[in-house]
Amino acid sequence: MDKLMNVIDKSKATWLPALLCLQSLTGFSQQLPANRWNAGKATINEKTTLRISDTTQWLVLKKEANPEQSAPDVVFDVKVPKAGIYEMITYATTTVSLPELIKKGPLPTAHIKIQIDQQRPTQRIVFDSWNHSLQTAGKFQLTGQPQKIKLWLPEGIRLGYIEWKEYQPPAVPEAAANYTPAIVPPKTRPRLWLNEQTLPVAKARLNKGENLPVWEKVKKTALIPFNFSFHPDKEMFYNDTIERTAETKAFYYLMTGDKKIGKEAVRIMTDYLSVLEFGNVKYGDITREVGRAIYKGSLVYDWCYDLLSPTQKQALYKNMMRLSMEMEIGWPPFDNSAINGHGNEAQVSRDLLAMSIAIYDEDPLPYKYTSYVILEQLVPMRKFEYQSPRHNQGVDYGAYRFGWEMHAAWLFYGMTGKPVFDENIKNLPDYWLYMRLPNGAMLHDGDVFNVNTNGKPFYWKQPQTMLLSYAYSNNPLIKGEFEREGGLPDNPVLFLLVNDPDLKAVTSPASLPLTKNFGPVLGSMIARTGWNNEPGSNDVIAAIKGGGYHFGNHQHADAGELQLFYHGMQVGCIGLYLSYGTPYDFNFNKRSISHSMMLARDPDEKLLFRTEANDGGSRFSQRFPVTPEETLSDPWFDYGKVRSSDFGPSKQAPSFSYFKADLTAAYTSKMSSYTRGFCFLNLGRTDVPAVVILTDDMTTSRPDFKKYWQINTLKAPVENGNGIVLHNELNGVEGKTFVEMLVPSAADRQTEILSGDKANSTFEFPYKVNSNKPEASAHRIMISPKAAHLQDRFLTVFQLTAADAAPLPLKFDQTSESYIITLADRITVMSNSTGFIRSAFTLNIPKDGKEYEVVLTGMTPGFWNVKGNRNFNAEVMPGKNTMVFKGTGGEYVITPGRVYETGK
């Protein structure tokens, strides 16, 4: 044991498999459960098998044995207490010692062949790098009478025992058990995607516009005879080609009534599902493949319903229900939540929903459960969440999971002709239009997996989601995005089901306003200087986050994050999504420290969710709410509040975009109060196209909690006399960002720049990142006040400039309540605190003959008077807190309240 522990200590990467095996060994000789059969109870084939002993007995294949021989190596005589479904548990280890095995690298995967009485044999994993020695081989129907369990052992494995555990399906919530769906499938066929009324419409569209060449491709494929040879006594793993072929032929029958092709689809799918077996494979999120087989079987069942014999109908039903038990969400579908995580993917919203609609006449119970999950849980939650038209799981997982919700929306709509989701679901895809960058990628949000990995030109895409979205909402802008992403050539059937060729795509999003406020649930703003999403674009894109709620899983702890793009990423996130839940992922990638935002370190802050590093950031969460009521009532999910959001004067091409959020709730009780303010100025220039003004007012509960103002960048920053210069380039064109911190002064602050491996550290915890992406060798700029205070304020100006351009001269003034920045032909006033500007103050517009645009932000709601070269009253609206006017040189007095005296 000491030798084994030494190996474990020396290799953190491989300690877990060894430890688990060690733990299993220590409990092996304890009193046996009633339904466990150890090696001593087995009848062995002495030609092939040995029974060996150390502290217990093992069964092992002889070296000269032939694994392919027909007689089993081991037979257990088994009788369980009663008939039913049981899970078979196996315990096996390797013939090579664990220390030697660990030294060789990844643990091997070994399969055992199982046959119960005269049933079809099946292959199951008996040892692998996921679950190691203790495996759940799968679910089997046992009779409660004496049965023979025949096993064929793999080479290099010692079998210790098998065990039978009565299967317990997921518990059905009382509300679901008592649920009566208000919406049920019609009596007629088809029901999936189309109904009796819309089928003629789909047929009429086949030969129109962009549908015609796709239909010709489908016809050609459907008419090719498909030879699917199989043996009923041999199982097979999933085969995408078989599934696609059956779907295509079923669709062709639906569109043409060609019974020969329809019967071929039925035969292929019936035969395929009869031998399809996923075993106990768990790697690669195999539930997605399980669900896809159920979905394709459901399409054939529904579209070819009138061609099914009673035997085929029963076989399809039985095998789809059999497969549903193997899904991660389980059957009944209550093992996971459908609100977040893998349960919010295809399992319920497409696969089980499609199955339940298809088989409703034969068995209405599956529809009762799946419709409950979608209509009573998912639909109300999304109505609440999509008040903010962006996805809490970010650009990648958000697009992926939203695409499955769109399947649910379409399946209900196609079945009944009536929508079940709130209308705000139609607005969500605008999020991906605003996140798009000129290099083809997206602004960072959440865990990002859809990235350029080969150095070639890259364009982020999720065309299936865009297809379902534009077809559902008849949105020509999203159809334009679908076409820019290259369409969906690999799924012609889905395209023909929903695409309206009369809806003409709009190829440019230029009709959209340049700024988007995303509302209260996921507080954020994106401001752009243009919609030229080409690599040579001179556009600046800025994004700020803050306020709303935290929904866990792939959402990051990034309250207040700033991102700036100009000829490449200038300021942003440097985390990489390499693998879920690793130390790097939970302690750096998903945490605040990888983002451009404020940190405050409480050395005693409690760490949760398998984290080891205190990064000083906002609360990291893997919990998620499942109802609007829980979201609103549980303070854990409160991630701050949007105080102000406005842009103008033009709503189409605003010259300013303002956002302020109170982020106190996003942090633990170490934070007494914290607000971040943001103002984006679109200067309309080529040398300095945009400026960002950023304010932070942070008060911690103790002065010794060190505060860090942090921004992250991809290229090495350069310190100069006035601050820091960032830079990046795209297609050989460079852009720069001059970062000038005005508060605190240079004398009152200290700056640290971390690069490379040091940038990937979370203070005392370093993380090695094996990636050639620029984020792996990026830079973090951390600025801290030299002296410890309860309260610290920061004011920073970012000027984004062309490569050869100098930053514009900047004049800075402040009052007791405000900062005043004069730059170019703009004067911007921002509150310097967590509150709003309440008192009168004076502005001096330079007397240089220019007209200045004056933007007053952070103003207390109500009427204000401006007195200078002109005298007028203006109302500041709650939630916007802005005023804007133009003026020439002179003194202007801004006073709360209305004044009616004549002004000059």
Side-chain angles (χ1 to χ4, degrees), residues 64-82:
E64 64 272 16
N66 177 11
E68 300 300 322
Q69 54 89 36
S70 57
D73 303 309
V74 176
V75 178
F76 286 98
D77 291 302
V78 167
K79 182 178 183 296
V80 294
K82 60 180 181 179

Side-chain angles (χ1 to χ4, degrees), residues 755-806:
S755 301
D757 289 344
K758 291 183 178 180
N760 291 315
S761 66
T762 303
F763 292 99
E764 64 270 22
F765 289 88
Y767 298 102
K768 185 68 177 177
V769 182
N770 295 316
S771 173
N772 60 3
K773 298 184 179 68
E775 290 85 351
S777 55
H779 312 269
R780 290 198 287 120
I781 301 160
M782 306 179 75
I783 299 177
S784 300
K786 286 183 177 178
H789 308 105
L790 282 172
Q791 182 182 30
D792 286 283
R793 291 173 175 172
F794 300 81
L795 170 65
T796 315
V797 177
F798 302 76
Q799 295 193 51
L800 294 105
T801 74
D804 56 354

Side-chain angles (χ1 to χ4, degrees), residues 547-559:
Y549 303 92
H550 200 283
F551 298 91
N553 199 206
H554 294 286
Q555 187 178 0
H556 287 192
D558 55 7

Side-chain angles (χ1 to χ4, degrees), residues 687-879:
D687 58 342
V688 187
V691 169
V692 169
I693 305 171
L694 195 68
T695 66
D696 294 281
D697 182 11
M698 177 177 283
T699 302
T700 51
S701 56
R702 280 174 29 191
D704 58 319
F705 292 171
K706 191 168 183 179
K707 305 176 184 72
Y708 297 91
W709 181 97
Q710 176 178 273
I711 56 172
N712 304 327
T713 191
L714 299 181
K715 303 278 189 177
V718 177
E719 293 187 81
N720 63 12
N722 295 323
I724 296 169
V725 183
L726 314 178
H727 65 103
N728 208 336
E729 66 178 37
L730 182 61
N731 276 25
V733 180
E734 186 181 39
K736 293 183 177 180
T737 301
F738 287 82
V739 184
E740 184 173 357
M741 183 170 281
L742 303 172
V743 178
S745 67
D748 295 328
R749 67 179 188 255
Q750 56 192 18
T751 301
E752 183 179 15
I753 298 176
L754 302 176
S755 301
D757 289 344
K758 291 183 178 180
N760 291 315
S761 66
T762 303
F763 292 99
E764 64 270 22
F765 289 88
Y767 298 102
K768 185 68 177 177
V769 182
N770 295 316
S771 173
N772 60 3
K773 298 184 179 68
E775 290 85 351
S777 55
H779 312 269
R780 290 198 287 120
I781 301 160
M782 306 179 75
I783 299 177
S784 300
K786 286 183 177 178
H789 308 105
L790 282 172
Q791 182 182 30
D792 286 283
R793 291 173 175 172
F794 300 81
L795 170 65
T796 315
V797 177
F798 302 76
Q799 295 193 51
L800 294 105
T801 74
D804 56 354
L808 299 172
L810 180 155
K811 183 175 182 293
F812 169 53
D813 298 293
Q814 58 183 320
T815 72
S816 61
E817 295 184 316
S818 65
Y819 301 127
I820 304 170
I821 307 294
T822 303
L823 182 146
D825 58 352
R826 310 291 178 85
I827 297 177
T828 306
V829 175
M830 298 183 74
S831 167
N832 64 9
S833 70
T834 58
F836 296 123
I837 299 170
R838 301 177 181 276
S839 306
F841 60 95
T842 300
L843 286 178
N844 287 289
I845 297 180
K847 296 180 180 180
D848 54 10
K850 290 194 301 186
E851 183 180 57
Y852 283 76
E853 181 175 89
V854 181
V855 179
L856 309 179
T857 70
M859 305 290 286
T860 296
F863 281 96
W864 288 75
N865 175 258
V866 177
K867 186 175 182 181
N869 292 341
R870 47 191 292 236
N871 187 355
F872 63 92
N873 297 318
E875 186 177 11
V876 173
M877 303 304 296

Side-chain angles (χ1 to χ4, degrees), residues 501-521:
D502 291 332
L503 178 67
K504 302 305 178 185
V506 174
T507 57
S508 169
S511 61
L512 292 173
L514 290 175
T515 295
K516 180 77 171 179
N517 166 35
F518 286 93
V521 177

Side-chain angles (χ1 to χ4, degrees), residues 233-252:
D233 291 333
K234 291 184 178 181
E235 63 187 21
M236 67 178 295
F237 205 44
Y238 75 89
N239 185 304
D240 183 54
T241 300
I242 294 173
E243 293 174 4
R244 287 176 182 268
T245 300
E247 176 192 33
T248 301
K249 290 179 179 290
F251 179 75
Y252 184 79

